Amino acid sequence: MSIPHLEILAIAVVTAAGCSLVGVFLMLRRMAMLSDAISHAILPGIVVAFFFTHDLASPWLMIAAVLTGLLTVVLVETLTRTRRLKEDAAMGLIFPALFSLGIVLITRYAGDIHLDVDAVLLGELAFAPFDRFVVGGADLGPRHLWVMGGVTLLNLLAVTVFFKELKLATFDAGLAASLGLAPAAIHYGLMALVSVTAVGAFDAVGLILVVALMVGPAAAAYLLTDRLGLLLVLAALLGAVAAGLGFALALWLDASIAGGIAVGVGLVFLVVFLVAPGRGFVAVVLRRRRQRWDFAQVMLAIHLIQHEGGPDEDDESRVEHLHGKHVGWTPAFTARVVGGAEKRGLVELDAGRLRLTDPGREAAGRALSGTGS
Amino acid sequence: MSTETPAVRVTDLTVAYGELPVLWDIDMDVPAGKLMAIMGPNGAGKTTLIKAILGLVPPAAGRVEIHGGLYRDQRHLVGYVPQRGSVDWDFPTTVLDVVMMGRYGALGWFKRPGKRERDQALTALDKVGMADFRARQISQLSGGQQQRVFLARALVQDAQVYFMDEPFQGVDARTELAIVDLLKELRTLGRTVIVVHHDLQTVRDYFDWITLLNVRRIAGGPVDEVFTSENLKLAYGGRVEFLQRQAPCDPPPDAPDLGSYPGRIRP
Amino acid sequence: MSWLGELFTDYTLRTVALGSASLGLVAGALGAFAVLRRQSLLGDAVSHAALPGIVLAFMLTGAKTPLVLVLGAALAGWTASLLVMLIVRTTRIKLDTALGLVLSTFFGLGLLLMSIVQRSAGAGQAGLDRFLFGQAAALVGDDLKTMAALGALVLIVLVMMWKEFKLLSFDPAFAGALGLPVRFIDIVLTTLLVVAIVIGLQTVGVVLMSAMIVAPAAAARQWTDRLGRLVILSGVFGAASGLTGAVLSSLVPRLPTGPTIILVVTTITVVSLFIAPRRGLLTERLRRGRQRRRVRADSVLADLYRLAAQHADPAQAPHAAEALQTMSAQAGVREGLKQLTEQGLVESDPDGLWRLTDAGLARGAELIGGVS
């Protein structure tokens, strides 16, 4: 792998890690689509700032973009509060409008701006190694690596310093407020971080990858752990893996690197979605299948207990009753359930009648009292 | 038990949401012409029971009969009043329009409601005292008025058996009384009404039949026999102190004892 | 049919106008349901996700036949919405995250495939770019026919299943209790939405098509409280903005079609949000102001009446505005007096003292009588 390739990979990995960190909180606060909204909506801010500075590397672009990002969030919230539109419609109205404005400005004044529409969507990762960060004649590496390194460091710092506050505001905003933690400040602080990350990353990798990297790794990590700290670490790691995988894919196909990394994110999620222990698709299907039998056996025990001592006990405890018209099981299913329940010692078969054993009685009692079967 | 076919017969109904069972092996017979309350603590599965009967939640096992036939064949005999909070009252439609929705099932595919449906809806609105509001946008109704509109929509279904999910939730006292009058009128006409209810104090005044529920069926039958401290203790578990102060009625000597196995009552 | 094709190819602008108006009409009408069912962001996911479908359809068939590309787009959009549902149902991941995930990875796949096509296919692929931000000027008769046919189909199904869609959107549980096949109706409505989105992709582009679903309906909702009128009005707004935006972008150089259409439709929505009767934010503020002024004038009149009532001949007793100010907790006594003068309820004499007219006396009696 050549030096430029390594540099591209480094930019992608650092960007992925930085996006994942804020993405986790967006996901937990059920605001994942804000990554889409903010990353699109900052465009006019960038363009207008560029008109004044004529410098894509100017910090003013970053400031303008962050302000536009916050403005988007405030606009959506204000519009929702007027109760004229629901939140999803307010969001779906505002960010395409701002993005359209940005695109029109870029296209109209294409001669003055070295931004083109493809770059907005896709970024220019392939050219990133040519954009050097030079201080006093010394080449310190690709500029994007410094920008995204800074942004990622900022996110890491914010998440570490305000870990407790973010955690509380995310899981219990009411309690956070009563403890004087100002959930609103935390909310807008997080939105500012998302905007900073989006504008930094957007310049390097294009806005679609901003969305993919904020949402995908966080979602995958969420299927692997319950602990917030671990969730953040895993999301950053999975993001980095996806970036590497996607970059390799793009090199192999000689195709768009940003597109490749987005697909890499999708693949990483897909694998986790399928095989994650406990919460993955395969695990869920297997567990549901197993539970179906457990569940049916407990149901049998409860059925017997409900009719125990009643006038219809004799009738209700016949095996045929179970696959009769009442319970609605098939004979094969019934035979398997009864067999299983017998093996587990929940019931005893006595002259065609099922009788509950003490363990069966306890299992039924546990299930009914809600402590699980 | 009466030999007459019950209006509703539920046998061995078990329901699970995803991986969590919420109703275990429910047996319930409701004779025709009764006004029945379904009661139990929060999370007892009251709404789930109604939804499972109506086929809105797939049961894991069990069977539902309405007037002697399978539910899916007898659906036209059933009317439904969902919880008021389950819909968006900002939806762009009018009172009359919502009430006419009660006829959509009988209309069949591709047919539009016409004058007949309109007249039926107006009659029903008149019955609940909402005729003057027919052209009103539904967001401009009070809670009680919204509930009356939902009742009118059930009335145009012209059903034999009505299922109502918390019709008294958040309505004014006047509406509550009007609804009770209406329910009693339906009973007079021989209809069966099954209501998810919360208020222990009004049970004796409003209903003549009751089912107590807490994940399983605790007890069921005439209010006079079943609405006892004993049974309430079984249904509501730890909140029994509070409930005893409400003193429903003295336990009759033959109150059914269903709580003799371990693990049932948690403090 | 050839005369029809000729008519349209000969008049490029007419093609553009008709095409973009019809896509706006269909998107607006279906969008009304999407917005009411809070599926605004599903539209965003479906339209982004359509891109890989378009490129794959092109790669597999090597053709740019509109129907083939639209089919590819629809299949991909459909798959995306199914995946979103699958993820939400089987895991703990919430809808917003699932939407963002599917949207970005599908779109990324589309971009990846597109870069491959661009490298390998040479000149033949140039047309695919326009699916990003739309290009009305590239619409030809074939496109128009496809759009019109699919759009008509969507609208016909919408009319036929009107009451089912209405009930599903308002109260799906009740629909289920009536025995309507809710799942099936839901699938049909979602399919219509997907088709409405994909027929607009060529003109508006995958990136912005979601706004064509949301904005017209959001605008129309401010003007009416009836579903029928909402859907029609939403369709009209969609058609008007599609037409205006597309024609503008065809006439003005370097004005991309999709963004222009979106800016037009957003303008309509913002104007509606402010000035629509009853629901408009500005309208409401004006109404509140009027109400407040009336209440204030009434209270000034009542004060004046109370003062006058202490005299034997009420109408003849003039009072200084300052006296009224001491009685009134509210500001704006002079403002109130000015209004009352305009209504002919009070009059002032040359000394600047105020007295009630006969009409004012009557109104005062009414107000005070109402209080006591």
Side-chain angles (χ1 to χ4, degrees), chain C residues 3 14-15 25 41 65 73 87 123 144 167 231 293 298 304 312 339:
Chain C
W3 61 269
R14 190 183 294 179
T15 309
L25 177 75
L41 297 175
T65 324
I87 291 172
L144 193 60
L167 188 51
V231 169
R293 280 197 301 280
D298 277 353
L304 194 57
Q339 274 176 30

Side-chain angles (χ1 to χ4, degrees), chain C residues 26-314:
Chain C
V26 180
L30 265 298
F33 284 96
V35 168
L36 288 175
R37 301 176 73 207
R38 304 189 193 182
Q39 290 181 335
S40 304
L41 297 175
L42 179 68
D44 199 27
V46 166
S47 65
H48 277 80
L51 187 65
I54 295 169
V55 186
L56 267 179
F58 173 74
M59 287 169 96
L60 292 178
T61 64
K64 277 193 297 174
T65 324
L67 193 60
V68 172
L69 298 188
V70 160
L71 258 171
L75 271 178
W78 232 106
T79 313
S81 68
L82 284 185
L83 269 180
V84 168
M85 295 307 150
L86 180 73
I87 291 172
V88 171
R89 271 202 206 128
T90 52
T91 71
R92 63 202 317 219
I93 292 170
K94 306 292 181 301
L95 180 66
D96 60 321
T97 301
L99 285 172
L101 176 79
V102 168
L103 175 157
S104 58
T105 51
F106 267 61
F107 190 63
L109 178 64
L111 292 174
L112 181 82
L113 294 174
M114 207 144 111
S115 67
I116 294 174
V117 172
Q118 268 165 345
R119 180 168 42 75
S120 59
Q125 49 71 37
L128 289 184
D129 270 1
R130 67 170 192 265
F131 280 98
L132 286 180
F133 290 106
Q135 197 182 345
L139 280 182
V140 295
D142 266 359
D143 300 319
L144 193 60
K145 273 188 262 179
T146 310
M147 287 166 76
L150 285 173
L153 193 70
V154 167
L155 293 182
I156 288 171
V157 177
L158 179 64
V159 170
M160 283 175 64
M161 291 178 64
W162 179 261
K163 74 174 192 302
E164 284 79 13
F165 290 158
K166 173 158 68 172
L167 188 51
L168 175 77
S169 308
F170 175 61
D171 193 348
F174 188 73
L178 286 181
L180 297 178
V182 174
R183 181 78 58 93
F184 170 74
I185 301 171
D186 191 0
I187 288 173
V188 175
L189 188 52
T190 306
T191 308
L192 296 190
L193 181 69
V194 169
V195 176
I197 288 173
V198 298
I199 61 179
L201 293 182
Q202 197 183 352
T203 314
V204 182
V206 294
V207 182
L208 292 165
M209 189 57 204
S210 67
M212 265 326 257
I213 294 295
V214 179
R221 182 67 189 89
Q222 313 311 319
W223 296 88
T224 175
D225 276 337
R226 307 293 290 269
L227 183 64
R229 289 176 207 162
L230 172 68
V231 169
I232 292 172
L233 200 57
S234 180
V236 170
F237 283 155
S241 41
L243 191 127
T244 316
V247 171
L248 262 178
S249 88
S250 303
L251 298 179
V252 181
R254 287 187 302 164
L255 199 54
T257 313
T260 310
I261 294 180
I262 297 313
L263 287 179
V264 172
V265 75
T266 310
T267 309
I268 295 181
T269 312
V270 170
V271 169
S272 302
L273 276 167
F274 279 101
I275 66 146
R278 283 211 321 97
R279 276 176 77 106
L281 295 170
L282 203 63
T283 329
E284 192 190 36
R285 171 158 291 193
L286 287 177
R287 195 171 52 233
R288 287 234 178 108
R290 254 198 320 273
Q291 237 164 25
R292 208 171 34 238
R293 280 197 301 280
R294 227 187 67 206
V295 169
R296 194 195 293 146
D298 277 353
S299 97
V300 172
L301 181 74
D303 288 346
L304 194 57
Y305 182 83
R306 282 198 198 93
L307 284 175
Q310 296 163 1
H311 298 268
D313 184 0

Side-chain angles (χ1 to χ4, degrees), chain B residues 56 71 75 80 82 87 90-94 97 101 104-105 108-112 137-138 140 153 157, chain C residues 36 38 159-160 162-163 166-167 169-171 173-174 176-179 181 221 225-227 230 278-279:
Chain B
L56 300 175
Y71 170 72
R75 208 189 314 253
Y80 176 42
V87 305
D90 197 33
F91 195 86
T93 191
T94 60
D97 225 28
M101 287 175 185
Y104 282 12
W109 291 96
F110 312 131
K111 287 210 198 72
R112 294 290 179 99
Q137 149 70 12
I138 55 171
Q140 297 162 19
R153 184 176 69 172
Q157 289 187 268
Chain C
L36 288 175
R38 304 189 193 182
V159 170
M160 283 175 64
W162 179 261
K163 74 174 192 302
K166 173 158 68 172
L167 188 51
S169 308
F170 175 61
D171 193 348
F174 188 73
L178 286 181
R221 182 67 189 89
D225 276 337
R226 307 293 290 269
L227 183 64
L230 172 68
R278 283 211 321 97
R279 276 176 77 106

